[in-house]
Amino acid sequence: MAREISSWLSGPEPFDSAAGAPGQDRGDYPGHRLGLPQHGSGSIAGFGRRAAALLIDWLIAYGLTALGMSFGLVSLTMMSTVVLLVWFVLGAVSVRLFGFTPGQLALGLMVVSVDNRQHVGLGRAAVRGLLAALVIPALFTDSDQRSLHDLATKTAVVRR
């Protein structure tokens, strides 16, 4: 009935929850446009698992910085800066070498290139880490649940 009443109006089709959102297939899921599976290995990782992996990485960076403080290499006034640097280097190097950070390893995640490259290079991993350190790009996602830092570097965090 809604279509008959509004048939003279221009604009998008009315939303029908049974058919899904207008312009979407019923089989559309995060990662579908990238050719990734819907479930299991290689599927897009959820926000909760990615956030938990980030928390683990931050805790490792804090632990390494505290170890440096115990040896007198880091002063208390420099602690927050050193934690950020340790987190950045740990993330960029481990994503380049292994395809995942220690936190992502613990939660069964990995970073993959979505433009058919074999692995994520050091440059991409560094840019990805710098953008993630700004926090804001990591909070905004597209329809494939990829954050802005993943969109900028043509990467995706998937399940291993």
Side-chain angles (χ1 to χ4, degrees):
M1 167 109 179
R3 188 65 195 158
E4 290 82 23
I5 293 173
S6 64
S7 63
W8 56 274
L9 295 173
S10 62
E13 294 289 322
F15 180 73
D16 181 12
S17 61
Q24 283 187 325
D25 296 333
R26 290 182 67 99
D28 204 15
Y29 55 88
H32 176 74
R33 293 182 306 145
L34 302 171
L36 300 174
Q38 184 173 8
H39 302 289
S41 180
S43 64
I44 294 286
F47 183 77
R49 290 179 86 176
R50 293 189 316 236
L54 178 65
L55 178 65
I56 291 170
D57 291 336
W58 272 107
L59 292 175
I60 291 171
Y62 268 105
L64 292 173
T65 303
L67 185 64
M69 284 180 67
S70 68
F71 288 120
L73 300 173
V74 179
S75 68
L76 187 60
T77 58
M78 294 176 40
M79 184 176 172
S80 61
T81 304
V82 173
V83 168
L84 180 63
L85 288 173
V86 168
W87 172 81
F88 172 75
V89 170
L90 180 70
V93 170
S94 62
V95 165
R96 168 56 186 101
L97 291 177
F98 309 114
F100 47 79
T101 65
Q104 290 171 343
L105 172 66
L107 294 175
L109 305 176
M110 67 184 302
V111 180
V112 296
S113 177
V114 295
D115 61 352
N116 297 327
R117 292 191 182 195
Q118 188 172 1
H119 60 327
V120 179
L122 186 59
R124 277 194 199 190
V127 169
R128 188 176 182 280
L130 285 173
L131 290 173
L134 295 175
V135 177
I136 300 299
L139 296 177
F140 293 99
T141 61
D142 68 351
S143 62
D144 288 319
Q145 293 183 357
R146 291 172 53 214
S147 300
L148 293 179
H149 66 286
D150 284 327
L151 290 171
T153 57
K154 295 184 174 106
T155 58
V157 179
V158 297
R159 294 182 180 134
R160 253 186 309 117

